[in-house]
């Protein structure tokens, strides 16, 4: 231990940088375990370091010998005392990794949906895509009108579903996270007489669905190939391009551009 302290002062600046990096790393780790007991531990640890450095400079041999014995058993003692905090902290680390993985998968799903919508708009393939947010849409799936898929979102699958020659093209698909839960789902249709007359059945269904739930609904017009987005009972955007659609999806799904 004391040879280590002597080595530190012989190579002061390099070792100071080394220690700062390690301190920042451990600060981040310990922040995951932050409880009153851990905060008290950090304060106590800093006091011990200060006393140890003072003892080295003024040659307090008894204190230095005591700290040497303490250091050899401190790791085991701390592991036993703070076992609940360590377990909780490791659980949080695992949850954070899982959350980051879910975010990456959802961003991939957004990319696939945008790619599919871009192709369908160009080919004038009508489509109705309902993206679940905080309100679950199980009742619309379990009503019996849809076909359960539970398939990972992909541009190719979405285009295939909405192609008119396929048996699943009628109705909407419902997306949760990065999965297409069901296709051919029949949605409620808005009866609001004040809606613009050019709104067809898909647009009216998108308005009603986004009004009844907090879902984000994407419409591709079969007649014009235009892309529209419905949120909170309103068509918020009409005739948008793929890039704008992606930006809106990131905004409403609370994702961030990398």
């Amino acid at each position: 231990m004391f040879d280590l302290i002597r080595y530190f002062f012989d190579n002061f600046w390099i070792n100071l940088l080394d220690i700062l990096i390690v301190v920042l790393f451990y600060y981040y780790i310990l922040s995951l375990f932050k409880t009153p007991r851990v905060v008290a531990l950090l304060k106590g640890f800093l006091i011990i370091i200060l006393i140890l450095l003072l003892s080295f400079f003024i040659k307090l041999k008894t204190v230095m010998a005591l700290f040497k014995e303490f250091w050899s058993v401190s790791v085991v003692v701390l592991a036993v005392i703070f076992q609940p905090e360590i377990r909780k902290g490791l659980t949080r680390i695992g949850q954070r990794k899982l959350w980051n993985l879910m975010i990456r998968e959802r961003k991939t799903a957004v990319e696939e949906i945008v790619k599919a919508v871009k192709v369908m708009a160009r080919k004038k393939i009508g489509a109705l895509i309902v993206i679940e947010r905080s309100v679950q849409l199980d009742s619309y799936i379990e009503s019996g009108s849809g076909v359960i898929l539970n398939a990972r979102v992909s541009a190719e699958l979405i285009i295939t579903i909405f192609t008119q020659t396929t048996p699943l093209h009628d109705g909407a698909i419902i997306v949760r996270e990065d999965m297409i839960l069901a296709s051919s789902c029949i949605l409620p249709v808005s009866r609001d007489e004040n809606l613009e007359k050019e709104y067809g059945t898909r647009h009216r269904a998108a308005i009603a669905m986004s009004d009844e739930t907090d879902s984000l609904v994407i419409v591709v017009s079969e007649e014009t190939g235009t892309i529209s987005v419905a949120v909170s009972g309103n068509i918020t955007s009409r005739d948008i391009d793929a890039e704008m659609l992606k930006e809106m999806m990131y905004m409403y799904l609370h994702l961030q551009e990398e």
Side-chain angles (χ1 to χ4, degrees):
M1 166 61 67
F2 306 112
D3 291 337
L4 180 63
I5 296 174
R6 189 175 294 108
Y7 173 78
F8 171 77
F9 286 102
D10 289 340
N11 303 270
F12 181 77
W13 292 111
I14 293 176
N15 290 310
L16 180 61
L17 177 62
D18 192 19
I19 287 177
L20 285 174
I21 293 172
V22 173
V23 167
L24 290 173
F25 171 75
Y26 277 103
Y27 175 80
Y28 170 74
I29 295 298
L30 288 172
S31 68
L32 298 175
F33 299 76
K34 187 166 59 178
T35 66
R37 289 205 302 169
V38 173
V39 172
L41 169 65
L42 287 175
K43 293 178 180 177
F45 184 74
L46 290 175
I47 292 172
I48 290 172
I49 293 297
L50 291 174
I51 294 174
L52 183 58
L53 291 174
L54 180 63
S55 301
F56 175 78
F57 280 117
I58 63 178
K59 308 298 182 183
L60 298 177
K61 294 182 180 180
T62 303
V63 176
M64 292 168 66
L66 178 63
F67 274 114
K68 185 176 181 180
E69 294 300 323
F70 169 77
W71 208 265
S72 62
V73 298
S74 60
V75 175
V76 176
V77 172
L78 292 174
V80 173
I81 294 174
F82 292 97
Q83 184 264 343
E85 284 81 1
I86 292 172
R87 184 175 65 249
K88 290 179 181 178
L90 292 175
T91 301
R92 287 184 63 188
I93 293 173
Q95 289 174 339
R96 183 170 296 185
K97 289 181 179 179
L98 178 61
W99 175 252
N100 289 338
L101 177 61
M102 291 172 61
I103 292 296
R104 288 197 298 271
E105 289 176 344
R106 193 157 201 184
K107 286 182 177 181
T108 300
V110 168
E111 296 284 350
E112 292 295 309
I113 292 171
V114 170
K115 190 190 304 181
V117 169
K118 185 176 181 179
V119 172
M120 292 188 294
R122 187 178 70 248
K123 295 184 176 181
K124 294 185 178 180
I125 298 173
L128 187 57
I129 302 171
V130 181
I131 302 174
E132 182 183 85
R133 295 203 286 171
S134 62
V135 178
Q136 290 198 343
L137 305 177
D138 293 333
S139 60
Y140 297 93
I141 299 169
E142 296 167 355
S143 63
S145 62
V147 178
I148 304 297
L149 293 182
N150 287 327
R152 193 168 297 277
V153 172
S154 72
E156 292 79 10
L157 178 57
I158 294 173
I159 295 169
T160 300
I161 289 172
F162 287 111
T163 299
Q164 285 191 352
T165 54
T166 63
L168 301 179
H169 75 278
D170 280 332
I173 65 171
I174 295 180
V175 177
R176 173 182 295 162
E177 302 295 344
D178 64 330
M179 301 293 289
I180 300 175
L181 300 183
S183 65
S184 300
C185 298
I186 304 302
L187 304 183
V189 178
S190 175
R191 303 297 180 184
D192 187 350
E193 296 180 356
N194 296 321
L195 292 177
E196 297 182 28
K197 296 188 181 300
E198 60 264 30
Y199 284 159
T201 303
R202 287 191 180 92
H203 290 86
R204 290 178 176 271
I207 291 170
M209 188 66 176
S210 66
D211 188 34
E212 291 186 8
T213 70
D214 69 342
S215 57
L216 175 70
V217 188
I218 302 169
V219 183
V220 180
S221 171
E222 185 175 346
E223 290 76 21
T224 63
T226 56
I227 304 168
S228 304
V229 175
V231 181
S232 302
N234 294 293
I235 298 289
T236 60
S237 300
R238 290 185 62 187
D239 198 11
I240 60 175
D241 59 18
E243 189 59 35
M244 188 177 296
L245 173 62
K246 179 181 175 181
E247 291 177 4
M248 293 185 66
M249 292 180 70
Y250 267 62
M251 178 179 67
Y252 286 114
L253 298 177
H254 306 294
L255 301 173
Q256 293 182 347
E257 293 281 2
E258 296 180 351

